[in-house]
Amino acid sequence: MTVIKVNHATKDYGHGRGIFDVSFEVLKGEAFGFLGPNGAGKSTTIRHLMGFSKLDDGELSINGKNSWKSAANIKHDVGYLPGELAFPKGMTGDQFIEYMAKERQLTDMTRIKELKKIFEVDSSKKIKEMSLGMKRKLAVVTAFMHSPRILILDEPTSGLDPVMQERFIQFTLKEKAEGKTILLSSHIFTEVEATCDRIAIIKDGVVVSTVEALALKQNKNKSFKIEFDSFKDYQTFIENTAFTLSVKRPEQNQVKLSLTDQKMQQLFIELSEVKLKFISEIKFILEDYFMDFYDRKKTVAAGEENLQDGLH
């Protein structure tokens, strides 16, 4: 059953900014990752999905309800954590929690107390005096407070320290185990990799790839880093190998290459002709897939630097 549907969504702000023909679906009980650098179109998609803006073209729905026409109803179904936080002026954290509880017609505060304890939230201060991390944790409490069956999380751990990031991941996994449907937008590979069943990669407002997380983990391609005993051995190997080398480092007598299981025997036949210092397998992770895709698109060096800035 499809819970969240993004169908040919387009919003053109001009000058190449916006989202263009974006389509994906999130199934009931699934955790779906929306991965890309800052400015790729993740938050734009989510803001339209929540009904804050109207598309130029396409259709968005949650639980079969049109995101634009049924925005008010949808907000009661969803736990939404925005990427950019905005709170009412002058409120303390406690006042904001009370306000949101009334909006959601909550009278039992048990879950709120549990969330505050888990994320170590001091809600007694005025929100304007809180650190960015505390504001983020306050937003987490209000997103999860009504135990929604659908969670839309936009850069959820932005501003949290590593301990709280890990705590949030574990909490999200617990929510997933309870059958919640989750759309998680992030530029943090480990966060997406740890929680998501499927992952869509967005670049310049376009979804360029959708992949099963399990397929990535079971990827049959293997990568190796090899260091040769001498420059002579290094040179002999690169002059005679049948493999494509992704990295050559003559100053260190090192190479990196990728191959399938079927080619393993051929590699070791070639390596038997030279002397090695070491050979090690490089574990394939989501970041490799992501960066490999960007490399295939021939991202220029300056663009790669900006990408890395956005991803770390």
Side-chain angles (χ1 to χ4, degrees), residues 47-53 60-63 65-80 100 103-105 146 150:
R47 282 195 294 269
H48 284 79
L49 190 57
M50 290 300 299
F52 299 136
S53 300
L60 305 168
S61 65
I62 298 175
N63 269 345
K65 301 172 186 175
N66 181 278
S67 291
W68 177 248
K69 296 177 181 177
S70 303
N73 289 332
I74 283 171
K75 288 178 178 65
H76 291 288
D77 300 335
V78 173
Y80 171 55
M100 292 302 296
E103 283 284 303
R104 288 166 174 156
Q105 299 178 342
H146 55 309
I150 304 167

Side-chain angles (χ1 to χ4, degrees), residues 84 98 107 127 147:
E84 295 180 6
E98 185 179 348
T107 54
I127 297 173
S147 196

Side-chain angles (χ1 to χ4, degrees), residues 78-91:
V78 173
Y80 171 55
L81 184 57
E84 295 180 6
L85 301 177
F87 296 97
K89 291 183 179 180
M91 279 190 177

Side-chain angles (χ1 to χ4, degrees), residues 57-183:
D57 196 15
E59 187 177 356
L60 305 168
S61 65
I62 298 175
N63 269 345
K65 301 172 186 175
N66 181 278
S67 291
W68 177 248
K69 296 177 181 177
S70 303
N73 289 332
I74 283 171
K75 288 178 178 65
H76 291 288
D77 300 335
V78 173
Y80 171 55
L81 184 57
E84 295 180 6
L85 301 177
F87 296 97
K89 291 183 179 180
M91 279 190 177
T92 65
D94 285 330
Q95 288 170 334
F96 181 66
I97 289 172
E98 185 179 348
Y99 166 77
M100 292 302 296
K102 286 181 180 178
E103 283 284 303
R104 288 166 174 156
Q105 299 178 342
L106 282 180
T107 54
D108 185 351
M109 305 297 278
T110 304
R111 181 169 168 86
I112 293 172
K113 290 176 182 176
E114 290 173 353
L115 289 166
K116 286 175 65 175
K117 184 176 180 180
I118 289 169
F119 293 104
E120 300 177 13
V121 177
D122 178 2
S123 55
S124 61
K125 294 181 180 179
K126 285 189 176 292
I127 297 173
K128 66 179 182 180
E129 296 172 358
M130 292 181 179
S131 67
L132 175 60
M134 189 59 70
K135 288 177 182 176
R136 174 63 59 181
K137 291 191 289 184
L138 178 63
V140 168
V141 169
T142 54
F144 288 95
M145 66 193 299
H146 55 309
S147 196
R149 302 303 299 173
I150 304 167
L151 300 166
I152 297 180
L153 312 173
D154 190 7
E155 302 285 357
T157 63
S158 175
L160 297 183
D161 62 49
V163 172
M164 282 298 157
Q165 287 181 358
E166 179 59 27
R167 195 168 297 182
F168 181 87
I169 288 171
Q170 294 305 315
F171 182 80
T172 303
L173 288 172
K174 181 175 175 288
E175 293 287 287
K176 178 183 171 183
E178 293 176 2
K180 306 289 180 73
T181 301
I182 302 169
L183 172 59

